[in-house]
Amino acid sequence: MVIRIAAVGDVHLDEDVVGRFRPALEELPGRADVLLLAGDLTRHGTEAEARCVAREFGGLGVPVIAVLGNHDHQCDQVPQVVGALEEAGITVLEGDGVVLDCAGGRLGVAGVKGFGGGFAGRCASDFGEPEMKAFVRTTTESADRLSAALRSLDCDMLVALTHYAPVPDTLAGEPLEIYPFLGCYQLGQAIDAAPTALALHGHAHHGSERGVTPGGVRVRNVAHPVIKQAYSIFYLGDHLDQAQVSSVGAGGTQQPWS
Ligand SMILES: [Fe+2]
Ligand SMILES: [Fe+2]
């Protein structure tokens, strides 16, 4: 039995862009069991832009599960943004999870926006000024919420959904100087502490598609500018013990406007 997961991030919708994904999205019910959105759904996080997201991704005929990104926080309208998405039937995760009954088994999705901080040997540390301690505390608290959510789900297949990257592999192509603002190793540790089959993230527009955590979990950067299609589809096979990402990027319609 196979669970089919469509995913995209960083669609950055506003009135100028809304509608461009919809033709490919209309094909989803025959292609995937669920659509995951990896944050940066809007340009500046306004309620009006969130209503564009709701129009684009609402009523698709498959469950849609999202996390927010940093852009979705820009205008300090997170409650309104979440409200607009949820009105359209989109589930927004932040430190929690959901289990879906799919034809191929029970799919658990745990999600959190995540935060920056950097990776092994090149990361921010909980030392010095209060501002730096607050920064690192935001990182660790976010990763702790992901860890708890992942371990709370009773399912056959477990997927971690974040905006920030859990590994540096999928940042390849970005300037090294900004890696600490693109993700953190603590998210990778959270993913490795649970029987995660697949980790999906966005945020790194100039990064690369494939990576792996230190514990061997496959990581995929599904930022739209990276995948260059409306969505990618991932196929997860039989049981957590043998979970395989057997095909990547097989779905979606090529968009000329990435
Ligand atoms: Fe983005
Ligand atoms: Fe982002």
Side-chain angles (χ1 to χ4, degrees):
M1 300 296 273
V2 171
I3 298 177
R4 306 164 300 170
I5 299 165
V8 64
D10 300 87
V11 294
H12 290 283
L13 288 188
D14 61 11
E15 279 291 348
D16 294 336
V17 181
V18 68
R20 297 187 184 177
F21 285 81
R22 194 72 192 193
L25 294 170
E26 299 285 3
E27 302 169 13
L28 265 180
R31 293 179 151 208
D33 299 301
V34 61
L35 173 65
L36 304 185
L37 301 176
D40 277 4
L41 310 179
T42 64
R43 294 200 69 78
H44 298 105
T46 66
E47 182 175 358
E49 290 174 352
R51 298 212 175 276
C52 294
V53 178
R55 274 159 54 198
E56 194 84 340
F57 292 99
L60 287 180
V62 298
V64 180
I65 300 170
V67 293
L68 300 186
N70 55 313
H71 278 247
D72 305 317
H73 282 250
Q74 169 61 16
C75 283
D76 296 323
Q77 296 182 18
V78 166
Q80 296 94 319
V81 166
V82 171
L85 299 181
E86 292 190 338
E87 264 180 42
I90 298 169
T91 300
V92 181
L93 300 179
E94 175 52 46
D96 52 354
V98 64
V99 176
L100 301 173
D101 271 317
C102 303
R106 291 170 304 152
L107 172 67
V109 181
V112 73
K113 175 178 64 64
F115 201 54
F119 300 92
R122 296 167 176 82
C123 56
S125 60
D126 185 12
F127 182 88
E129 303 90 328
E131 292 85 354
M132 182 57 77
K133 290 173 183 165
F135 181 93
V136 174
R137 190 162 57 243
T138 302
T139 302
T140 54
E141 287 176 355
S142 181
D144 288 347
R145 287 198 302 277
L146 177 64
S147 182
L150 282 166
R151 287 182 285 116
S152 73
L153 300 179
D154 179 17
C155 58
D156 301 314
M157 301 281 182
L158 186 57
V159 171
L161 177 64
T162 62
H163 182 61
Y164 285 78
V167 295
D169 312 21
T170 46
L171 306 183
E174 297 278 5
L176 279 173
E177 291 85 349
I178 68 168
Y179 275 32
F181 306 107
L182 297 177
C184 64
Y185 73 91
Q186 292 94 335
L187 290 174
Q189 287 182 332
I191 288 162
D192 281 342
T196 313
L198 175 66
L200 301 173
H201 74 86
H203 192 42
H205 291 206
H206 303 288
S208 48
E209 201 166 346
R210 299 183 179 209
V212 64
T213 66
V217 177
R218 291 163 182 83
V219 178
R220 298 294 182 261
N221 177 1
V222 295
H224 178 253
V226 171
I227 65 173
K228 296 184 171 62
Q229 55 188 357
Y231 47 83
S232 292
I233 300 181
F234 304 90
Y235 302 90
L236 296 183
D238 288 337
H239 189 270
L240 279 177
D241 291 343
Q242 311 117 30
Q244 296 289 323
V245 182
S246 57
S247 179
V248 173
T253 300
Q254 193 73 30
Q255 299 285 341
W257 44 272
S258 66

